[in-house]
Structure formats: C-alpha cells, structure tokens
Amino acid sequence: MEGQQFAWGREEGGWRKGPWTAQEDKLLVEYVRQHGEGRWNSVAKITGLKRSGKSCRLRWVNYLRPDLKRGKITPQEESVILELHALWGNRWSTIARSLPGRTDNEIKNYWRTHFKKGKPSKNIERARARFLKQRREMQQQSQLMQSGQQQQQLGQDDDATSAVVDDNLAEVAPPAAASLTHDGELQIMQEMAPDMDDLLYYHPGDMSPYSYDDLLGSGGGDVASAGAAASTSEGSSEELDGGATWGSLWNLDDVVHDMMIDCAAGAGCCWGSFPPLQDQGLAFY
DNA sequence: AAAAAATTCAACCGCTTATTT
DNA sequence: AAAATAAGCGGTTGAATTTTT
C-alpha cells in the first residue's frame, strides 16, 4: 500500500484528480461559456485548471451541463430505462438519448444499483413482500364479495392473471407485459401505500414473469457481461454463446429506434403494438 | 450508541471510434 | 493515406453516506 493515504484529491502527472472543487467547476463553466463545449484539452491551457481534457469533459457532461435534470429518476423514466435495457442491453448512451437530462453514467448507475441481477435492495424486498401480502388479502376479500363478477378492471395488474400467453412461444414474457405490470403495480401500490417511497422505485423485473436469465437462455449468464461482450462486437456478425437473442435484437436497432423514441417521449409504452418484432418472427409474444 | 455492512454515485481507466492534421 | 489527437463509451473503483445490527 503506497504511503499516500489520501489518494483522493491527489495530483498525478501534473493533473489533479478526484472530486472537483467549486472553484474548479467555476473555471470550467466559465470556459464553456466563453468557448463552447469541446476542445477540452485547451481548458487547462486557457484557464489554468489542472485537469485533463478527459476529466473536464466528463465533469461537464455528467454534472455541470445546464440541461441536466436533477433529482431522482421518476417511475416513468424507470420504465423507459427498463424497456430500453431489455432491448439494447448495456448501451447506456443509447438509452440515455431517450431520457432528456439524464446521463449515461446516471442510468448505468441506476440500473446497476436497482436491477442488476441478485441485487434488489432489502428495503425493496421488504416493501415488496408487504405489498404482495396486502394485495393478496385484498384480492381474496374482493373475490369473496363479488364472486364471479367481471375482473376486467384488474386485468392488467397481475402477471399471473393477465400475462397469460401461449405457453409454446412465450417462456419469455414480453417487456411490454413487464412494463404494463409495472404501471399497474405502481398505481395500486401508490393507492395502498402512498408513504412507502420504496415502492415507487421498485421494479417489475424482480417480480415479473421474465428474467434476464430467461432471455439469455439456459446459460444463466449475467446480463451485464452479455451486454459488454456484445458491445465489443457490436454490429458485427459475431455471436455470443447463448446470446443469440441479444444479437438479433440489436440488429433491430434501426427498425425500432424511432418507435422507442416516441414511446419514451411519453405516449406511454407501446410494446404490444410493435409489428416489426412480430413480423420478424421473434418469439416474444 | 457505535461499529459493521450495504448502498450510492462521481470519477476514474482502458478501449474504441471519429475527427483533424 | 496515415498518424495524431479528441471525443465517446462502458466497466470499475472507492469515498461518502445510509442502513442495519
């Protein structure tokens, strides 16, 4: 262990590293105001800031840019992240383009902390357990009361009841189902437990009928690595082992992109009405 | 009350792709 | 045409903060 205990905020090869100070931010902001974005390597020369161009760009893009949206990811944004991730894998900058004001870094962090396989937080797990129990009880009650009547109104809320699909093709449930499930859940959750903040950030992927393992096939590989592998060979003809699903999805980029943008823009989610996917014979539905 | 564990997220690194010289 | 430089991307790290024990 090299003696330097405070490796953070250090200086290395003439460049400062670590967290930015307010003064540094000020210099950088002033630079951009005068010279515009870009030519990051001249920041140091012109302003005297002891930061590499790379560091300057990162700081601007991820933190100082005025058009950044601050604050928590909203449930709507979350839905978009999940759907686009299901479609594109770890192509964070691509996903970020559909979320104005959010950076790829932010989305990546969000996804990793909330949805990376095996990492649902304990809070969320607990909240979820409580919620499911409550819901079960409510359903039982309402069934007793109005036995046999139309349950249409609940139709979209439950994976088990609504996402019923042809068993032959659909061992993988569509991301659409997940998202609708999510919205439905959210609504109910909010009504039942408006104080339970966690619930707002809970994601259907953990309770919905599909998992990334399913998507990837038997291998059980973790999605991040699959995505990583694919991004390396992106666009090429290489196949990942067990990753044919992703490969074929990624080739759909052009077909689907515009629709996804619309989708992200707020029309709500419209996976169910994506003819191209069906036309191409993907076994999603 | 305090120590340990878990989580978050800003910033880093190495690599790839795009642009400029 | 090719070398050099800049920008962009995704994975990873670790200090700071929060939660749990």
Side-chain angles (χ1 to χ4, degrees):
Chain A
M1 29 203 80
E2 67 247 65
Q4 199 50 266
Q5 170 144 17
F6 303 116
W8 218 233
R10 69 216 116 117
E11 191 159 329
E12 215 175 79
W15 298 123
R16 271 184 49 76
K17 292 188 166 192
W20 282 61
T21 64
Q23 291 97 317
E24 288 178 311
D25 281 347
K26 209 173 157 192
L27 283 174
L28 181 53
V29 167
E30 183 59 16
Y31 171 88
V32 174
R33 198 179 64 74
Q34 288 181 6
H35 303 91
E37 296 183 41
R39 304 190 306 286
W40 300 110
N41 287 329
S42 16
V43 177
K45 293 170 198 155
I46 291 177
T47 69
L49 186 56
K50 283 190 154 61
R51 293 280 181 168
S52 69
K54 203 169 177 175
S55 182
C56 290
R57 177 190 160 272
L58 194 77
R59 182 65 179 172
W60 176 259
V61 166
N62 284 340
Y63 193 80
L64 296 174
R65 257 168 52 201
D67 57 321
L68 285 181
K69 194 184 279 184
R70 315 263 170 176
K72 285 189 181 181
I73 301 278
T74 66
Q76 288 74 27
E77 288 174 314
E78 179 185 277
S79 293
V80 173
I81 291 171
L82 288 164
E83 287 172 23
L84 296 190
H85 187 270
L87 181 69
W88 285 324
N90 298 359
R91 293 160 72 173
W92 308 114
S93 69
T94 304
I95 295 171
R97 277 177 216 126
S98 300
L99 290 162
R102 302 296 186 185
T103 69
D104 54 352
N105 210 35
E106 192 176 11
I107 292 167
K108 175 172 59 182
N109 280 334
Y110 188 80
W111 191 87
R112 284 186 59 84
T113 60
H114 290 78
F115 311 122
K116 179 140 169 71
K117 188 170 169 274
K119 292 226 172 177
S121 86
K122 288 186 177 169
N123 281 345
I124 289 175
E125 278 302 308
R126 262 199 294 276
R128 177 193 170 198
R130 263 176 288 159
F131 164 71
L132 289 176
K133 187 179 166 200
Q134 248 178 310
R135 188 180 67 175
R136 234 190 340 269
E137 290 167 1
M138 276 187 71
Q139 278 181 340
Q140 281 170 0
Q141 277 192 352
S142 73
Q143 272 185 0
L144 281 176
M145 294 176 71
Q146 36 166 305
S147 57
Q149 288 246 1
Q150 76 276 24
Q151 290 178 281
Q152 290 281 358
Q153 37 179 337
L154 292 177
Q156 68 166 173
D157 106 271
D158 199 301
D159 36 62
T161 61
S162 75
V164 212
V165 240
D166 231 359
D167 280 333
N168 336 344
L169 356 135
E171 77 266 354
V172 173
S179 123
L180 290 176
T181 298
H182 184 37
D183 292 346
E185 298 272 16
L186 277 175
Q187 236 175 6
I188 296 167
M189 283 171 156
Q190 277 170 349
E191 283 161 21
M192 289 176 59
D195 55 312
M196 293 165 77
D197 223 30
D198 272 343
L199 294 181
L200 295 179
Y201 299 97
Y202 179 65
H203 159 45
D206 298 325
M207 70 167 114
S208 72
Y210 83 98
S211 75
Y212 286 114
D213 278 351
D214 292 335
L215 282 172
L216 287 173
S218 53
D222 121 83
V223 131
S225 52
S231 78
T232 319
S233 58
E234 175 181 6
S236 81
S237 53
E238 278 182 53
E239 289 286 358
L240 328 119
D241 35 7
T245 312
W246 290 112
S248 52
L249 277 176
W250 282 328
N251 291 335
L252 292 173
D253 275 14
D254 295 335
V255 183
V256 168
H257 182 258
D258 290 344
M259 284 179 163
M260 292 308 298
I261 297 298
D262 292 343
C263 192
C269 232
C270 48
W271 277 82
S273 57
F274 270 177
L277 290 175
Q278 290 167 322
D279 289 347
Q280 304 207 11
L282 291 177
F284 271 146
Y285 292 83

